[in-house]
């Protein structure tokens, strides 16, 4: 039996697994709502920007990429705001509120008629994203028990990665055949199903009665928190610079039919699923080595893709390794952030997803700028290389501070010194 509780009752291992599956189903829905737009980018451009698309499809695709950036920015805004203000809430109740917001926001995305209104809907639909993953990660970590924190985080994230194997390609195909609006209605159904699963399967967990917004926000006064956030925000731009424009990469560079795009998305999703499981296990052993190792894989894979994307084999190997490396980094960066944030656990768990979605917005934006400037659909891949290299540099600086503190005999826990006191 495991010490996790539902009221006074001990939970069996089977009940714990069911609760984790319910949380992962939410990740499955989030993966679908976030990543379906990548595969349907030309469809969104044709329907929402018909005049521009008729004159210049490349410009229309680049502008449609704003929908992806809007979602990412919604995550950035919503994650710390919701996590800090609702840290006292019972975790299950907060998850249900967030799932309700997901469902309604996704339905609005499917119904609204114009590009501008859909842009706003994507921003609003993204607000619960980081808070959901953050709170679900805390619930999962408690359910898994000591020494298995990163694996608990990885289990929740497995819903997102499996979504990229099954949900995103299937819903992308649905959107290509029946229209992108039907695709978003399908995503809304997934969120509604998750709502029911959480009600039935996730045990009660109290919030932190001592938490206040002021206490949670103290995390942002710690230098190492900013380094950890920056590693995710900059480094993950490498993945999203490629993922955002994967549809035109497949059709314009590799010269494959549009029907091939869902299959390429399956390959990315398989890579993400494998990487998430490996990264979660390795991060429990060494966060530092996991971050360095998989940033190395990411950089090599991006360069390989840029040089060989015109060949089917080069495309598939490249996107598989990029997806695997990015997904392996996620639980490692999450664990690092929770370490350095100390007592601000709710906001630390949630803001990791803000950081990753800054990477999403940054990669999508810079890739769109490069395409609009006429550099072609391989330009975002090279931008991804540069962003990943910057991620390594930031991680190196952060770990150097750790070594410096240890060499000075400072053995304070991570995150106990603020920006103002470092270096004094």
């Amino acid at each position: 039996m495991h010490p996790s509780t539902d009221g006074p009752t001990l939970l069996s291992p089977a009940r714990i697994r069911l609760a984790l599956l319910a949380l992962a189903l939410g990740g499955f829905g989030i993966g679908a709502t976030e990543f379906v737009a990548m595969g349907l980018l030309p469809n969104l451009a044709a329907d929402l920007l018909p005049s521009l698309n008729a004159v210049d499809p490349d410009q229309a695709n680049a502008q449609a990429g704003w929908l992806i950036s809007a979602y990412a920015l919604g995550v950035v805004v919503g994650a710390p705001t919701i996590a800090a203000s609702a840290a006292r809430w019972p975790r299950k109740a907060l998850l249900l509120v967030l799932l309700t917001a997901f469902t309604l926001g996704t339905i609005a995305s499917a119904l609204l008629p114009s590009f501008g209104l859909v842009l706003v809907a994507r921003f609003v639909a993204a607000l619960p994203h980081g808070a959901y993953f953050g709170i679900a990660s805390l619930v999962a970590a408690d359910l898994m028990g000591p020494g298995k924190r990163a694996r608990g985080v990885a289990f929740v994230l497995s819903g997102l990665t499996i979504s990229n194997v099954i949900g995103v390609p299937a819903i992308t195909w649905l959107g290509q055949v029946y229209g992108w609006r039907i695709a978003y209605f399908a995503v809304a159904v997934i969120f509604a199903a998750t709502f029911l699963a959480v009600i039935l399967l996730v045990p009660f967990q109290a919030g932190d009665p001592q938490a206040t917004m002021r206490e949670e926000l103290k995390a942002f006064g710690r230098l190492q928190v900013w380094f950890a956030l920056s590693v995710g925000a900059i480094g993950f731009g490498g993945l999203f610079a490629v993922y955002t424009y994967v549809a035109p990469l497949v059709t314009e560079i590799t010269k494959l039919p549009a029907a091939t795009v869902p299959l390429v998305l399956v390959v990315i999703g398989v890579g993400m699923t494998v990487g998430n499981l490996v990264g979660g296990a390795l991060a429990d052993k060494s966060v530092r080595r996991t971050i360095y190792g998989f940033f190395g894989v990411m950089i090599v894979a991006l360069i390989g893709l840029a040089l060989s994307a015109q060949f089917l084999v080069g495309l598939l190997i490249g996107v598989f390794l990029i997806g695997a490396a990015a997904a392996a980094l996620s639980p490692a960066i999450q664990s690092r952030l929770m370490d350095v944030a100390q007592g601000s656990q709710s906001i630390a768990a949630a803001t990791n997803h803000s950081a990753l979605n800054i990477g999403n917005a940054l990669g999508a934006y810079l890739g769109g700028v490069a395409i609009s400037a006429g550099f072609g659909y391989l330009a975002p891949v090279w931008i991804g290389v540069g962003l990943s290299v910057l991620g390594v540099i930031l991680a190196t600086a952060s770990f150097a501070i750790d070594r410096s503190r240890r060499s000075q005999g400072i053995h304070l826990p991570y995150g106990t010194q603020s920006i103002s006191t470092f270096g004094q």
Side-chain angles (χ1 to χ4, degrees):
M1 305 290 284
H2 194 282
S4 297
T5 60
D6 186 356
T9 307
L10 291 174
L11 299 180
S12 68
R15 175 69 191 281
I16 291 170
R17 285 193 293 272
L18 288 172
L20 291 172
L21 285 171
L23 296 173
L25 182 60
F28 188 93
I30 292 172
T33 199
E34 181 172 17
F35 295 123
V36 157
M38 279 78 162
L40 294 176
L41 199 66
N43 308 76
L44 289 159
D47 187 48
L48 293 172
L49 300 164
S51 300
L52 179 60
N53 190 68
V55 175
D56 191 339
D58 288 352
Q59 289 284 356
N61 282 335
Q63 188 169 330
W66 297 357
L67 295 170
I68 296 164
S69 296
Y71 185 93
L73 292 173
V75 180
V76 172
V77 173
T81 304
I82 297 172
S85 60
R88 290 188 178 188
W89 287 30
R91 291 172 178 172
K92 181 173 179 176
L94 180 54
L95 289 173
L96 292 174
V97 170
L98 296 173
L99 288 165
T100 300
F102 269 130
T103 305
L104 296 177
T106 306
I107 290 172
S109 300
L111 289 175
L112 291 171
S114 68
F115 178 79
L117 290 174
V118 174
L119 192 73
V120 172
R122 297 312 296 149
F123 176 85
V124 172
L127 293 173
H129 176 127
Y132 178 87
F133 271 129
I135 300 303
S137 294
L138 292 175
V139 172
D142 284 352
L143 290 171
M144 291 290 285
K148 298 179 181 179
R149 179 185 59 184
R151 274 168 281 185
V153 172
F155 200 104
V156 174
L157 291 173
S158 70
L160 185 150
T161 60
I162 292 170
S163 179
N164 280 277
V165 179
I166 302 170
V168 174
I171 296 172
T172 298
W173 173 85
L174 187 70
Q176 288 178 335
V177 175
Y178 296 104
W180 66 268
R181 296 181 188 277
I182 298 299
Y184 277 110
F185 278 124
V187 174
V189 170
I190 296 171
F191 283 129
T194 305
F195 182 93
L196 295 176
V198 169
I199 286 178
L200 296 173
L201 300 174
V202 174
F204 173 85
Q205 283 190 8
D208 181 357
Q210 306 302 318
T212 64
M213 180 175 286
R214 182 177 180 181
E215 287 298 313
E216 288 290 319
L217 292 176
K218 282 183 178 179
F220 296 120
R222 299 179 179 118
L223 178 64
Q224 289 287 42
V225 167
W226 286 103
F227 268 116
L229 290 172
S230 297
V231 170
I234 303 298
F236 261 69
L239 167 67
F240 291 112
V242 174
Y243 206 157
T244 300
Y245 302 101
V246 68
L249 181 70
V250 169
T251 57
E252 301 300 323
I253 302 298
T254 319
K255 303 297 183 182
L256 296 172
T260 313
V261 173
L263 299 178
V264 175
L265 294 176
V266 169
V267 174
I268 298 174
V270 171
M272 293 177 75
T273 301
V274 172
N276 179 61
L277 295 174
V278 173
L282 292 179
D284 277 328
K285 297 178 181 179
S286 173
V287 168
R288 182 178 62 84
R289 286 196 295 270
T290 301
I291 288 175
Y292 277 140
F294 284 103
F295 262 129
V297 173
M298 173 83 81
I299 292 167
V300 170
L302 284 163
I303 293 172
L305 179 63
L307 297 176
S308 63
Q310 66 268 38
F311 305 110
L312 177 60
V313 172
L315 173 72
L316 295 180
I317 293 175
V319 298
F320 175 87
L321 291 176
I322 291 166
L329 284 165
S330 185
I333 295 172
Q334 176 90 74
S335 295
R336 173 69 175 172
L337 187 55
M338 291 169 73
D339 282 339
V340 299
Q342 280 295 93
S344 306
Q345 290 293 291
S346 293
I347 202 166
T351 50
N352 181 49
H353 299 278
S354 288
L356 301 187
N357 278 273
I358 290 174
N360 187 341
L362 187 64
Y365 173 74
L366 293 177
V369 168
I371 293 167
S372 296
F375 291 108
Y377 288 110
L378 283 177
V381 183
W382 289 111
I383 288 171
V385 174
L387 291 172
S388 296
V389 169
L390 285 174
V392 173
I393 292 170
L394 289 165
T396 301
S398 179
F399 292 129
I401 290 173
D402 287 346
R403 288 193 298 273
S404 175
R405 293 176 66 201
R406 284 194 297 270
S407 69
Q408 296 172 27
I410 300 172
H411 299 294
L412 294 174
Y414 282 125
T416 56
Q417 284 193 273
S418 68
I419 293 173
S420 61
T421 59
F422 260 107
Q424 292 183 359

